[in-house]
């Protein structure tokens, strides 16, 4: 009787174990089907987003071209007016205002185009030292009277020369725009290897930012209270941040109001 009871218990355990295994297998198969369906949905969604991004870039390029085209003749005719001898002072003043407005509009179009494609920069590599030196040379006219200090260590980043130059022009241009009027502008540029990334730091002694402005500095079109008194559209730092993140890097900002702003860009090393 005892042996029969033991056999019955073993048989019951085997049945229960079989049922548990069958349920586990059924749940596993169901989960695999669900995961497969989710994976297909994610692939389709990514493909859809890539198509929409491509369409957006194409639209941005066409829009930029269409918006820029009428600006060129307006700028040209304005220049001809200003070159004409013997113009009344009021006509000269109006022509100069038109030219400034055209230049601002052209800048807006260019920045919006740059922002629209900043999330998909081309692949490549470049020398940080070479690009920094070339960018400073190209911006020589804007940097007249600016104390530039560099501390550069040769490194190569996974970023094309054109994209890196655009990042630098935006950062340096931002420092020029927000310079303090009671002291000469000083800009320090440093680059160095930091393990798998290359760090580029640009620091100035300009107007600086309050805590709230610094928190929103990389948001497109954001302009703090002080920014509203200066020309610009709040796109430069947004372009830098989006481009840097798209390259697999990071961008950090620290600022002290009426003292300094320091922006550190870290890009993957090539």
């Amino acid at each position: 009787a005892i042996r029969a009871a033991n056999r019955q218990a073993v048989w019951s355990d085997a049945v229960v174990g079989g049922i548990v295994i069958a349920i586990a297998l059924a749940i596993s198969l169901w989960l695999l089907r669900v995961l497969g369906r989710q994976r297909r949905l994610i692939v389709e969604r990514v493909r859809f987003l890539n198509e929409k991004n491509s369409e957006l870039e194409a639209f941005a390029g066409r829009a930029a071209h269409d918006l820029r085209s009428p600006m060129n003749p307006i700028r040209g005719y304005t220049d001809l007016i200003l070159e004409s001898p013997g113009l009344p002072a009021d006509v000269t003043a109006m022509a100069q205002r038109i030219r400034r407005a055209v230049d601002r509009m052209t800048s807006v179009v260019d920045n919006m185009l740059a922002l629209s494609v900043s999330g998909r920069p081309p692949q490549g590599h470049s020398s940080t030292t070479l690009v920094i030196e070339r960018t400073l040379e190209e911006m020589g006219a804007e940097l007249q009277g600016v104390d530039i200090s560099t501390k550069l260590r040769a490194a190569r980043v996974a970023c094309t020369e054109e994209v890196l130059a655009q990042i630098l022009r935006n950062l340096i241009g931002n420092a020029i725009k927000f310079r303090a009027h009671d002291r000469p502008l000083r800009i320090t540029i440093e680059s160095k290897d930091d393990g798998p990334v290359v760090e580029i730091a640009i620091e100035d002694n300009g107007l600086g930012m309050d805590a709230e402005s610094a928190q929103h500095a990389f948001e497109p079109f954001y302009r703090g209270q002080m920014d509203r008194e200066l020309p610009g559209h709040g796109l430069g730092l947004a372009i830098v941040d989006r481009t840097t993140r798209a390259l697999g890097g990071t961008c950090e900002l620290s600022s002290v109001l009426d003292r300094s702003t320091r922006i550190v860009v870290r890009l993957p090393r090539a």
Side-chain angles (χ1 to χ4, degrees):
I2 294 175
R3 286 197 297 271
N6 289 337
R7 285 197 298 272
Q8 181 67 27
V10 170
W11 183 84
S12 299
D13 291 342
V15 171
V16 171
I19 294 174
V20 170
I21 292 173
I23 293 174
L25 287 174
I27 292 175
S28 298
L29 291 174
W30 176 77
L31 287 175
L32 287 174
R33 285 197 296 269
V34 170
L35 290 173
R37 185 162 54 249
Q38 292 297 322
R39 187 179 297 110
R40 288 192 297 272
L41 290 174
I42 291 172
V43 170
E44 292 176 2
R45 187 62 179 175
V46 170
R47 180 178 56 79
F48 174 77
L49 291 175
N50 287 334
E51 291 176 356
K52 291 301 179 182
N53 284 333
S54 298
E55 293 175 4
L56 178 60
E57 290 181 10
F59 169 77
R62 290 192 300 268
H65 178 270
D66 293 343
L67 290 171
R68 193 185 291 112
S69 295
M71 296 293 104
N72 294 331
I74 296 174
R75 184 64 156 79
Y77 286 126
T78 304
D79 290 342
L80 289 175
I81 292 173
L82 290 171
E83 291 173 2
S84 301
L87 287 176
D90 57 342
V91 174
T92 300
M94 285 188 290
Q96 290 173 341
R97 284 198 293 271
I98 292 172
R99 183 163 62 181
R100 288 194 296 270
V102 170
D103 290 343
R104 285 197 299 271
M105 182 62 184
T106 302
S107 176
V108 172
V109 172
D110 291 341
N111 284 334
M112 291 184 68
L113 177 60
L115 181 66
S116 69
V117 300
S118 60
R120 301 182 68 181
Q123 299 296 314
H125 53 82
S126 58
S127 165
T128 55
T129 302
L130 180 62
V131 176
I132 291 172
E133 291 175 348
R134 285 181 178 175
T135 302
L136 291 175
E137 182 179 355
E138 292 170 0
M139 299 182 69
E142 302 172 61
L143 293 169
Q144 288 291 329
V146 178
D147 179 13
I148 298 288
S149 174
T150 60
K151 185 179 180 181
L152 310 177
R153 294 184 181 178
R156 297 190 67 80
V157 292
C159 174
T160 65
E161 292 186 4
E162 294 77 12
V163 172
L164 181 56
Q166 181 190 53
I167 291 173
L168 293 168
R169 283 194 297 268
N170 276 307
L171 294 178
I172 297 171
N174 196 70
I176 295 172
K177 183 192 304 182
F178 294 100
R179 65 194 305 168
H181 298 292
D182 59 348
R183 55 184 178 269
L185 176 60
R186 185 177 65 254
I187 299 176
T188 302
I189 304 175
E190 300 179 357
S191 67
K192 63 178 181 180
D193 274 334
D194 187 14
V197 301
V198 176
E199 181 179 293
I200 302 174
I202 297 181
E203 185 172 0
D204 65 71
N205 66 334
L207 295 174
M209 303 181 192
D210 56 42
E212 183 178 359
S213 296
Q215 183 179 359
H216 298 282
F218 295 122
E219 296 178 8
F221 301 106
Y222 178 81
R223 291 173 62 78
Q225 187 64 38
M226 294 177 62
D227 299 1
R228 295 166 191 164
E229 303 172 2
L230 298 169
H233 305 89
L235 291 174
L237 293 183
I239 293 171
V240 170
D241 182 54
R242 288 193 179 187
T243 303
T244 301
R245 286 190 288 107
L247 291 166
T250 61
C251 190
E252 298 178 0
L253 179 146
S254 58
S255 187
V256 179
L257 187 62
D258 197 32
R259 182 178 300 177
S260 66
T261 296
R262 178 180 174 87
I263 299 177
V264 179
V265 171
R266 295 182 179 88
L267 296 170
R269 188 169 57 182

